Amino acid sequence: MYADRVLSGMRPTGSLHLGHYHGVLKNWLKLQHEYECLFFVADWHALTTHYDNPLSLEEHTWQMVIDWLAAGVDPNRATLFIQSQVIEHAELHLLLSMMTPLGWLERVPTYKDQQEKLTDKDLSTYGFLGYPLLQSADILIYRANQVPVGEDQVPHIEFSREIARRFNHLYGKEPGYEEKAEAAVKKLGGKKAKLYSELRNRYQEQGDEEALESARAILGEAQNLSLGDKERLYGHLEGGGKMILTEPEALLTEASKMPGLDGQKMSKSYHNTIALREDPETVSKKIRTMPTDPARVRRTDAGNPDKCPVWQFHQVYSNDEVKSWVTQGCTSAGIGCIECKQPVIEAVLRELAPIQERARAYTEEPDLVRNIVADGCEKARDLARETMRDVREAMGLNYG
Ligand code: TRP
Ligand code: SF4
């Protein structure tokens, strides 16, 4: 209904690795050219599971932002900020908590899954149960309608949609709503107002989606409507109350093909990562010592690429020519594994070189990073405050 706005957050886990780069960051780099983008460090979310060790948060936060910038996230295109620096998220989380049924939170699949998985932690906390609601506040406070996430996070976006819908339903029917909506229609001007009403009837009576689109376009282009009137009419158009909060959609990020050094998913806890800022020596050594097809004991044994993690790296980094050289050479024992790894080493180093170059500029001048984030926080705060004004008004809290 408004122009597309993309928001995504990442918990501060310290240095990022190639799994993050191929799985998330490359997607962000593309999105920043296509949409208005907000990217933030979800440090409060990190606390939901690491409440017993908050001291590393600050370091991890700055390292992560440096990695974003090094990967090519452009602060002139995207707004970068830190969740805890925009305290309005906490206020919205609190207010939403008043109308969030406990059952909804208990039913979010990550709740039980994570509790069962992270057995070394006591996650029977209030904060952990509220994780998806805090995430909803992150999204709804910016009226972001597109949220790039992986498969595992889709239920959280669904949850956020339900929260927005419930909020609008409960608080969107302000006193005198119908009269206010009628008055707003008049403000569109004679011809447009008539057309809007016709389109609205067509949609509401016949479910005509095209009519809905056209009517939305009229509202989108209307110069003389206040933001409040627009919200009223977007809701009125569909037969509901004022749309105070926007229902977000998940922008599903394709799962990355980037495996870890051992062929499992790349993850710090598996100790199979290549960090974005790892020095070239170490990177080369890590790849040189990667496991290969276990059946290939001697150089003269033929191998099977499908049983080899190096082959998975070739899928990410090599062109068809190199790939057929590998299959041919491996299955005939024509090439050795060290030889086979060489193009991978070169490709990874080539990918990391510009990233590490940019990272150097930022690590040498920490103020640069601080300023980028300070600017981003300020922009985010302005947007968040606008929404909170509407939320407080809708909930009858705009006194004092
Ligand atoms: N839960 C997300 C994750 O673990 C991080 C996150 C927090 C987030 N708030 C968000 C992602 C808002 C998208 C939008 O990856
Ligand atoms: Fe793996 Fe390449 Fe060795 Fe075959 S030749 S086992 S694909 S590293």
Side-chain angles (χ1 to χ4, degrees):
M1 70 188 220
Y2 301 89
D4 283 322
R5 180 180 283 161
V6 164
L7 169 106
S8 202
M10 223 190 264
R11 280 169 295 167
T13 48
S15 315
L16 301 186
H17 52 61
L18 283 175
H20 297 113
Y21 182 67
H22 286 270
V24 183
L25 292 174
K26 277 205 323 207
N27 188 42
W28 285 14
L29 300 184
K30 184 164 72 75
L31 291 170
Q32 69 182 350
H33 291 280
E34 299 168 355
Y35 298 101
E36 176 189 359
C37 286
L38 298 157
F39 299 130
F40 73 99
V41 181
D43 53 349
W44 282 336
H45 275 106
L47 276 180
T48 63
T49 49
H50 290 71
Y51 54 85
D52 53 349
N53 179 24
L55 293 180
S56 52
L57 269 186
E58 183 179 3
E59 181 58 19
H60 284 175
T61 292
W62 294 116
Q63 294 306 329
M64 190 165 79
V65 174
I66 290 175
D67 280 337
W68 291 356
L69 294 164
V73 175
D74 179 353
N76 293 313
R77 290 187 177 275
T79 301
L80 308 184
F81 67 97
I82 299 172
Q83 182 185 38
S84 65
Q85 302 298 305
V86 184
I87 51 160
E88 284 78 3
H89 289 225
E91 187 189 359
L92 184 56
H93 177 221
L94 175 85
L95 293 179
L96 295 176
S97 78
M98 305 301 171
M99 46 138 267
T100 303
L102 262 184
W104 289 18
L105 284 166
E106 287 161 346
R107 272 198 300 277
V108 175
T110 44
Y111 179 58
K112 288 230 163 62
D113 288 356
Q114 293 289 95
Q115 271 193 337
E116 281 164 18
K117 238 202 210 137
L118 306 174
T119 42
D120 54 327
K121 294 194 175 112
D122 181 2
L123 291 182
S124 49
T125 58
Y126 183 48
F128 187 68
L129 178 67
Y131 186 113
L133 189 62
L134 180 57
Q135 185 163 353
S136 303
D138 298 337
I139 298 167
L140 300 177
I141 206 162
Y142 299 106
R143 296 180 161 123
N145 53 352
Q146 302 285 338
V147 186
V149 287
E151 190 93 58
D152 62 315
Q153 292 285 308
V154 170
H156 290 182
I157 310 306
E158 263 311 304
F159 177 84
S160 305
R161 295 173 65 82
E162 278 165 26
I163 294 293
R165 214 173 300 144
R166 181 164 165 82
F167 185 94
N168 291 336
H169 177 75
L170 283 171
Y171 308 114
K173 294 255 165 76
E174 59 206 319
Y177 174 73
E178 287 298 332
E179 291 74 17
K180 283 184 184 167
E182 303 284 316
V185 174
K186 288 219 178 77
K187 284 187 210 155
L188 286 168
K191 245 164 94 185
K192 287 238 171 90
K194 188 154 167 269
L195 182 57
Y196 166 87
S197 302
E198 281 168 14
L199 292 166
R200 176 174 182 255
N201 283 343
R202 248 177 39 218
Y203 172 66
Q204 292 198 2
E205 286 163 19
Q206 298 155 38
D208 182 341
E209 293 285 335
E210 254 171 58
L212 175 64
E213 278 311 306
S214 312
R216 276 188 184 146
I218 293 179
L219 298 180
E221 287 158 15
Q223 304 279 329
N224 46 349
L225 287 189
S226 67
L227 204 60
D229 274 341
K230 279 198 186 179
E231 283 164 7
R232 237 165 242 129
L233 291 189
Y234 279 119
H236 173 251
L237 178 55
E238 294 186 47
K242 192 168 162 181
M243 283 207 196
I244 302 156
L245 298 177
T246 304
E247 289 180 32
E249 271 171 50
L251 199 59
L252 192 63
T253 311
E254 233 180 279
S256 141
K257 292 197 183 68
M258 188 71 218
L261 289 161
D262 55 0
Q264 298 186 77
K265 178 183 154 77
M266 191 179 278
S267 159
K268 236 190 214 159
S269 48
Y270 297 155
H271 305 287
N272 62 359
T273 62
I274 295 176
L276 295 183
R277 280 186 274 154
E278 205 143 335
D279 69 274
E281 264 319 298
T282 317
V283 173
S284 308
K285 182 155 175 250
K286 278 187 169 176
I287 301 174
R288 270 202 314 272
T289 53
M290 266 176 83
T292 57
D293 175 1
R296 232 192 142 184
V297 184
R298 281 174 298 263
R299 166 69 177 77
T300 49
D301 296 335
N304 177 357
D306 291 333
K307 299 200 172 132
C308 177
V310 180
W311 177 238
Q312 296 182 54
F313 273 61
H314 277 293
Q315 302 295 332
V316 176
Y317 288 102
S318 301
N319 60 25
D320 288 344
E321 199 187 330
V322 175
K323 281 194 277 192
S324 60
W325 170 76
V326 173
T327 24
Q328 172 64 28
C330 178
T331 52
S332 65
I335 60 170
C337 292
I338 293 289
E339 229 175 309
C340 177
K341 288 171 172 176
Q342 200 52 40
V344 171
I345 294 177
E346 279 161 26
V348 172
L349 292 181
R350 213 175 309 127
E351 179 168 71
L352 292 180
I355 296 178
Q356 301 195 345
E357 180 69 35
R358 276 191 295 266
R360 249 188 304 282
Y362 288 112
T363 37
E364 277 164 17
E365 245 184 289
D367 277 352
L368 217 53
V369 183
R370 309 251 160 189
N371 287 337
I372 288 168
V373 170
D375 281 354
C377 289
E378 211 162 302
K379 276 193 210 145
R381 246 176 249 130
D382 284 344
L383 297 172
R385 281 184 187 145
E386 242 175 65
T387 308
M388 285 316 296
R389 260 199 299 276
D390 294 350
V391 166
R392 286 188 210 114
E393 187 185 290
M395 293 183 77
L397 291 166
N398 57 338
Y399 45 80

